[in-house]
Amino acid sequence: RGRDPRALLTATGSRRASGSSCNMKLNIANPATGQQKKLEITDESKLRVFYDKRIAAEIPGEALGDEYKGYIFKVMGGNDKQGFGMRQGVLTAQRVFLLMSPKTQGMRGHGRRKGERRRKACRGCIISQDIAVLNLMIVKQGEAPLPGLTDEEKPRIRGPKRASKIRKLFALSKDDDVRKYVNTYRREFESATGKKKSKAPKIQRLITADRLRRKKIEKNEHAAKIAKSKAEAAEYQKLLSMRLKEARERRSESLAKRRASSLAKKEAK
C-alpha cells in the first residue's frame, strides 16, 4: 500500500524475464485451409529471427527448420508472460500504460461511463524475449506440406451475415442471389431431443422485392404527408388572409361610424 502499481508490475515483469528460460509458443494459422497448429520452441537460435520484429512483419520460415523451407509467416500479435497483449502502433518492446477508451484493444469497458478513459497496461508491438505466445499466419506456402496445416481443408463454421460481405467473400455480383451461398456454411447439429436441425445466419441488409415494395410504400406515404401538410398550410393561409380582411373591414366600418357620429355632434352644436 502506498506504492505505485505500475512500478510493482514493471519490477515483477523484469524479475520474471531475467529468471525465465527461452521458451515461446507459436500459434500458426493457415487461412487457406482453416487449420491451426501450436508449436513450442525452446531453442534460442530459432527464436532470434523473431526478435526486434514488429507486428505485421513477414518472416521466412527456414529459421524454424527445414520442413518450413519456402514458407513465409506474418506476425499478427502475441502476449507476454503475464498475459498482456501486444498492441500495434506502440513502438517499444516494453510494457507501457496507455489511456484507453472503452471497446478498444486492451480495454473492454463494461460498466464505464460515456467518454471515460482508463490507464491500462499493454505490450509494445516489438517482439522481445518477454513474449510468451506469438500468433503467426501463413502468407506463402512452401514446397513441403505441413501436417496439421496444409494436409486437409476445414470448412468454415461461421461466415458473414451482411449481404455485401457475403458477395465479397464469394466474389459475387449484384445480380447473383446471396441466399444460395449461405448454405455453404450451414451448420447441422442434433437438438436436446435428438432431432437433426440445421442453422444458417440470417442475411442482413438483403435487398428483396418485398423490401423494395415496402420502401416504395414508405416513400409514397412520406410524399403524401408532405403534400397534405402543404395543402393544409395553404388552406390555413387562405383562411387567415380572409379573417384578416374581415377584421380590416369591420375596423374600417367602426371608424366610419365614429366619424359620422362625431360630425353629427358638431353640426348639432
Side-chain angles (χ1 to χ4, degrees):
R1 182 176 295 179
R3 295 184 62 185
D4 190 0
R6 289 175 287 180
L8 288 172
L9 195 57
T10 308
T12 306
S14 62
R15 285 198 299 269
R16 291 183 181 179
S18 61
S20 62
S21 60
C22 297
N23 190 5
M24 187 182 293
K25 293 179 182 178
L26 304 179
N27 287 327
I28 304 175
N30 189 3
T33 59
Q35 291 182 300
Q36 187 174 352
K37 188 176 182 180
K38 184 177 73 173
L39 300 177
E40 189 166 354
I41 308 297
T42 57
D43 191 359
E44 176 71 18
S45 61
K46 292 182 179 180
L47 295 176
R48 283 175 188 158
V49 69
F50 295 102
Y51 293 156
D52 297 331
K53 297 291 191 302
R54 300 180 185 176
I55 295 178
E58 295 184 355
I59 299 172
E62 287 87 351
L64 297 178
D66 295 335
E67 64 271 17
Y68 298 98
K69 187 176 182 180
Y71 284 85
I72 296 178
F73 302 116
K74 183 178 180 180
V75 181
M76 304 301 293
N79 297 77
D80 60 5
K81 294 179 173 61
Q82 286 75 38
F84 293 95
M86 298 174 66
R87 189 180 175 106
Q88 179 68 291
V90 183
L91 300 178
T92 180
Q94 306 296 325
R95 189 186 304 151
V96 294
F97 286 78
L98 303 177
L99 273 175
M100 298 185 186
S101 301
K103 297 183 180 179
T104 56
Q105 181 185 352
M107 182 179 179
R108 293 181 181 177
H110 297 309
R112 301 297 180 193
R113 300 170 70 181
K114 185 177 180 181
E116 182 180 357
R117 295 194 298 169
R118 286 296 180 97
R119 194 170 290 278
K120 295 283 185 178
C122 67
R123 177 67 61 173
C125 67
I126 300 176
I127 303 171
S128 65
Q129 294 181 355
D130 298 330
I131 301 298
V133 181
L134 197 63
N135 302 323
L136 304 176
M137 183 180 71
I138 295 178
V139 178
K140 180 182 176 183
Q141 293 191 12
E143 303 170 357
L146 296 176
L149 284 174
T150 59
D151 52 354
E152 61 176 328
E153 187 171 347
K154 288 189 176 182
R156 291 182 62 130
I157 299 176
R158 294 179 179 86
K161 294 179 66 177
R162 192 179 299 177
S164 59
K165 294 189 177 181
I166 296 172
R167 290 192 186 96
K168 184 179 179 181
L169 176 64
F170 294 101
L172 304 176
S173 63
K174 291 186 177 180
D175 299 330
D176 296 326
D177 191 3
V178 182
R179 290 169 287 189
K180 297 178 182 178
Y181 294 87
V182 181
N183 295 325
T184 55
Y185 46 89
R186 180 178 288 274
R187 186 167 58 92
E188 296 181 356
F189 61 97
E190 286 189 3
S191 64
T193 57
K195 293 182 179 180
K196 291 186 178 180
K197 292 186 177 182
S198 64
K199 187 179 288 187
K202 182 182 178 183
I203 302 174
Q204 305 293 326
R205 303 186 186 181
L206 181 63
I207 306 299
T208 58
D210 292 337
R211 180 166 181 178
L212 292 174
R213 180 178 56 81
R214 288 195 297 267
K215 193 174 182 180
K216 188 176 180 180
I217 291 172
E218 290 176 359
K219 189 176 180 181
N220 293 337
E221 288 178 353
H222 185 63
K225 285 181 181 179
I226 292 174
K228 184 182 177 182
S229 63
K230 285 184 178 179
E232 289 177 352
E235 188 177 356
Y236 174 74
Q237 289 295 331
K238 185 178 179 181
L239 181 63
L240 184 63
S241 62
M242 187 178 68
R243 295 288 170 82
L244 291 174
K245 185 178 179 182
E246 291 175 355
R248 284 195 298 268
E249 289 176 355
R250 286 196 300 268
R251 182 175 176 78
S252 61
E253 288 177 0
S254 64
L255 288 174
K257 286 180 181 180
R258 286 181 185 177
R259 288 171 185 169
S261 62
S262 63
L263 288 172
K265 288 178 180 179
K266 286 180 181 179
E267 288 176 357
K269 289 179 180 181

